[in-house]
């Protein structure tokens, strides 16, 4: 019976079968079109995706607007180009005035669900608007560090879907991040095959309801073509040509050769669902209007690296790339874009260039928090600055520098020394690159080379006084060096710059704690909590301050709130146990600590707290044994060992 119950939990419960057709949207990050069997690849095994494609309205030449996750997905969900919706980089927040597919369908009675696999689509970036459920629970580190790796595997995403009650009619969006570097399943090809298997699991649970199923990529992967190993920099077809098809009841299987854009998805899917489309779309109805020109952009080099951005226009025959060194390719004879015809075909190039809209006119980035910026920085996405300054540096001339940055990011965990050496060499090759300077400052801080870190950050802030990530890092370094007043000054600059930035208030709180202003610290954390009520780390910090100010009841509220969504949270379990201890309920406190040990039997904090409780109960030998375990464990941090030694000495 018990095993049968577990199986039931994994089956989606679909209620209230409706006349409206259900919609399942599958987006696969970083997936090149030519790496699927349905697009002619004979090496990579993708039977589940290929089976879907054979029965679909299938687009052989689908183009994304930008080689980045958030801008491209925002275009998919709004039917508008990045210049229109304002997301030009992965650092941005979708404007609440933008109308998304989820909002349109929810207004028509759909139940809306999203399950995303990568941090660039985390809810605070704004694509959650319109979703009843937006599941983005990634594995998180306890600290806010450069080592953050924010993704969950396709299997975890599918399991999250299967454990959720899905009510019909539904719009269900499932996003797989796995093909994105670093590749965890036998390289890029293995990542794609792994996703395909999980797509199979998903389809077996939902195809009985005969939903409309759409599959799309957000961008591709260069894999060394044109000197670029991954994506973000160039706008060649290796990163801009993506898979795209739609399958479902009443949809005729047909292969469309003419060019389409993923901005065309929204008006097309709304037509299939018999829902009126908004009037302000850039996308058009397919397949009727296939063959429209596509506008492409890569603003990442300009915004994050201090180089020139890239703009492009592509049609069925030609692609023109506007850059310091312009490029023109005949896609019919040169699909690999290897022969630049700009010098010999300037008439064609000039005509195409005149059709490119003024794509620089809108601010390229909305505000994000430095903590979010830190996470994106760990993935090699952002430098923390926000500049629209033009540059004459062509990304083609600096691609080797970008490859050095990516290699340094990849080596952060496994070989920090080599990572820093590569960054230092990259900085010599590109002295004013803001992303390199930011990385170096962070790595120097981690190595306690704090003076050097502060010097670099001062240089960054001289170039860009509104670089939120540099302000954030400067405040953190000052906290680390014991300069609490200076830390508060930097944090306050950040707060004035970005009032709705939770991390500015958190930094102010940490500075106030260091200065002994606990009540003020609690006020700052409450302000941060209003901005980001889902931040469990923030609630734990607030609970700990309440404990220090003898407000055990208020502390307990915060810890209990965390445990509702995360019953195995060690810090929250220890927090509740401490509240009970201060209130004299030693028996229940002991039970909570033993629960924490079941979660992690080696956790020094739990053992120290339990030893203290045993001392209070008069169980001296049990307390001594636990202190010695903490002392002797090779995984115990030095400060915990020192504290255990002091307590053991006092007890003996």
């Amino acid at each position: 019976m018990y095993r049968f119950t577990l199986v039931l939990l994994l089956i989606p419960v679909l209620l209230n079968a409706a006349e409206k057709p259900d919609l399942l949207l599958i987006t696969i990050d970083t997936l090149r079109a030519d790496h699927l069997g349905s697009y002619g690849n004979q090496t990579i095994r993708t039977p589940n995706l290929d089976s879907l494609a054979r029965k679909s309205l299938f687009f052989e030449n689908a183009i994304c607007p930008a080689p980045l996750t958030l801008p491209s997905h925002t275009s998919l969900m709004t039917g508008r180009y990045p210049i229109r919706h304002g997301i030009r980089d992965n650092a941005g927040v979708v404007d609440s005035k933008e109308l998304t597919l989820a909002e349109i369908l929810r207004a028509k009675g759909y139940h809306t669900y999203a399950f995303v696999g990568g941090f660039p689509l985390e809810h605070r970036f704004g694509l959650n608007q319109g979703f009843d459920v937006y599941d983005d629970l990634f594995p998180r580190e306890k600290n806010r560090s450069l080592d953050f790796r924010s993704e969950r595997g396709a299997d975890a995403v599918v399991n999250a879907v299967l454990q959720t009650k899905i009510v019909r009619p539904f719009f269900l969006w499932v996003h797989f991040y796995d093909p994105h570097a670093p590749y965890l399943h036998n390289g890029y090809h293995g990542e794609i095959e792994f996703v395909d298997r999980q797509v199979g699991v998903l389809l077996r649970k939902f195809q009985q309801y005969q939903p409309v199923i759409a599959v799309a990529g957000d961008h591709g992967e260069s894999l060394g073509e044109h000197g670029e190993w991954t994506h973000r920099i160039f706008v060649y077809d290796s990163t801009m040509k993506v898979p795209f098809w739609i399958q479902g009841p009443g949809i005729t299987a047909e292969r469309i050769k003419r060019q389409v854009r993923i901005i065309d998805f929204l008006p097309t899917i709304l037509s299939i669902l018999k829902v009126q489309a908004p009037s302000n779309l850039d996308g058009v109805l397919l397949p009727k209007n296939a063959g429209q020109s596509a506008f492409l952009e890569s603003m990442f080099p300009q915004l994050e690296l201090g180089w020139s951005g890239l703009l492009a226009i592509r049609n069925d025959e030609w692609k023109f790339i506007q850059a310091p060194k312009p490029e023109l390719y005949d896609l019919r004879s040169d699909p690999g874009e290897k022969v630049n015809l700009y010098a010999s075909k300037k008439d064609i190039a000039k005509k195409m260039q005149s059709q490119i809209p003024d794509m620089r006119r809108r601010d390229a980035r909305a505000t994000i928090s430095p903590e979010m910026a830190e996470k994106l920085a760990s993935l090699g996405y952002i430098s923390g600055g926000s500049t629209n300054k033009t540059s004459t540096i062509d990304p083609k001339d600096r691609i080797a520098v970008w490859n050095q940055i990516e290699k340094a990011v990849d080596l952060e965990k496994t070989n920090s020394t080599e990572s820093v050496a590569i960054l230092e060499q990259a900085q010599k090759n590109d002295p004013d690159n803001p992303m390199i300077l930011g990385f170096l400052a962070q790595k120097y801080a981690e190595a306690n080379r704090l003076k050097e870190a502060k010097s670099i950050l001062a240089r960054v802030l001289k170039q860009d006084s509104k670089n939120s990530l540099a302000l954030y890092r400067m405040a953190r370094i000052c906290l680390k060096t014991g300069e609490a007043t200076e830390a508060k000054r930097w944090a306050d600059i950040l707060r004035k710059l970005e009032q709705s930035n939770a991390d500015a208030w958190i930094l102010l709180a940490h500075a106030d704690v260091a200065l002994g202003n606990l009540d003020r610290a609690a006020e700052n954390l409450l302000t941060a909590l209003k901005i980001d009520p889902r931040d469990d780390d923030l609630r734990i910090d607030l609970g700990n301050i309440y404990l220090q100010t003898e407000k055990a009841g208020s502390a307990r509220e915060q810890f209990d709130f965390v445990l509702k969504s995360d019953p195995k949270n060690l810090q929250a379990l220890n927090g509740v146990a401490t509240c009970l201890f201060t209130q004299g309920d030693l028996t229940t406190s002991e039970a909570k600590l033993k629960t924490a040990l079941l979660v992690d039997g080696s956790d020094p904090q739990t053992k120290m707290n339990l030893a203290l409780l045993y001392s209070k109960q008069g169980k001296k030998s049990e307390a001594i044994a636990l202190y010695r375990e903490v002392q002797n464990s090779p995984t115990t941090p030095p400060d915990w060992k020192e504290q255990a030694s002091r307590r053991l000495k006092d007890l003996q």
Side-chain angles (χ1 to χ4, degrees), residues 106-127:
R106 187 164 69 176
K108 295 298 181 180
Y110 278 79
H111 303 274
T112 53
Y113 306 85
F115 297 82
V116 302
F119 178 73
L121 297 178
E122 209 254 17
H123 69 280
R124 286 173 289 178
F125 293 110
L127 270 186

Side-chain angles (χ1 to χ4, degrees), residues 68-82:
L68 287 166
T69 299
L70 184 61
S72 198
H73 273 92
T74 305
S75 288
L76 185 80
M77 294 296 187
T78 63
R80 285 154 58 86
Y81 277 118

Side-chain angles (χ1 to χ4, degrees), residues 479 484-485 487-489 491 506-517 521:
L479 284 171
T485 302
K488 190 168 183 176
R489 183 176 75 83
I506 292 169
L507 283 169
L508 286 170
H510 289 172
D512 281 325
V513 168
L515 293 168
N517 303 326

Side-chain angles (χ1 to χ4, degrees), residues 390-411:
T390 58
S391 170
T392 59
I393 298 174
D394 195 307
K396 295 187 288 292
D397 296 332
R398 295 286 172 93
I399 190 62
V401 171
W402 171 243
N403 290 336
Q404 285 180 303
I405 295 172
E406 287 206 295
K407 185 175 182 180
V409 171
D410 289 342
L411 288 170

Side-chain angles (χ1 to χ4, degrees), residues 401-511:
V401 171
W402 171 243
N403 290 336
Q404 285 180 303
I405 295 172
E406 287 206 295
K407 185 175 182 180
V409 171
D410 289 342
L411 288 170
E412 278 179 321
K413 283 189 173 182
T414 57
N415 192 334
S416 181
T417 301
E418 186 178 353
S419 176
V420 171
I422 292 171
L423 286 172
E424 289 172 336
Q425 182 59 51
Q427 200 264 328
K428 291 179 181 178
N429 296 332
D430 196 4
D432 296 321
N433 188 304
M435 178 170 280
I436 297 173
L437 293 172
F439 273 140
L440 278 175
Q442 180 66 12
K443 298 310 292 184
Y444 287 159
E446 290 174 357
N448 282 319
R449 296 166 62 178
L450 303 180
K451 186 176 180 180
E452 292 169 274
K454 289 178 71 175
S455 176
I456 288 178
L457 290 173
R459 178 177 173 180
V460 172
L461 289 167
K462 186 176 181 180
Q463 293 177 353
D464 177 10
S465 62
K466 295 181 179 181
N467 188 309
S468 59
L469 184 52
L471 290 167
Y472 176 72
R473 285 170 167 165
M474 186 71 91
R476 287 183 60 191
I477 289 172
C478 289
L479 284 171
K480 192 172 183 179
T481 57
E483 301 169 276
T485 302
E486 186 71 359
K488 190 168 183 176
R489 183 176 75 83
W490 289 111
D492 202 46
I493 294 172
L494 180 59
R495 177 192 63 79
K496 290 175 182 176
L497 185 65
E498 301 175 0
Q499 281 283 335
S500 61
N501 185 331
D503 296 298
W505 296 97
I506 292 169
L507 283 169
L508 286 170
H510 289 172

Side-chain angles (χ1 to χ4, degrees), residues 114 116 121-124 134-138 140 152 534:
V116 302
L121 297 178
E122 209 254 17
H123 69 280
R124 286 173 289 178
Y134 198 87
D135 189 306
D136 58 352
L137 299 177
F138 311 114
R140 284 176 168 80
R152 57 177 172 174
R534 291 178 56 172

Side-chain angles (χ1 to χ4, degrees), residues 59 80 271 287 316 347 360:
F59 303 105
R80 285 154 58 86
S271 176
D316 284 324
D347 54 335
R360 291 188 176 91

Side-chain angles (χ1 to χ4, degrees), residues 1 39 52 54 60 68 78 96 122 159 179 185 240 246 252 260 297 310 352 402 412 504 524 583 612 637:
M1 184 66 182
Y39 285 89
L52 264 183
R54 282 192 293 271
E60 294 185 7
L68 287 166
T78 63
S96 60
E122 209 254 17
N159 284 338
H185 299 95
M240 307 306 287
I246 304 173
T252 302
V260 303
E297 67 170 65
L310 300 175
M352 295 186 75
W402 171 243
E412 278 179 321
N524 288 331
Q583 294 169 333
L612 186 63

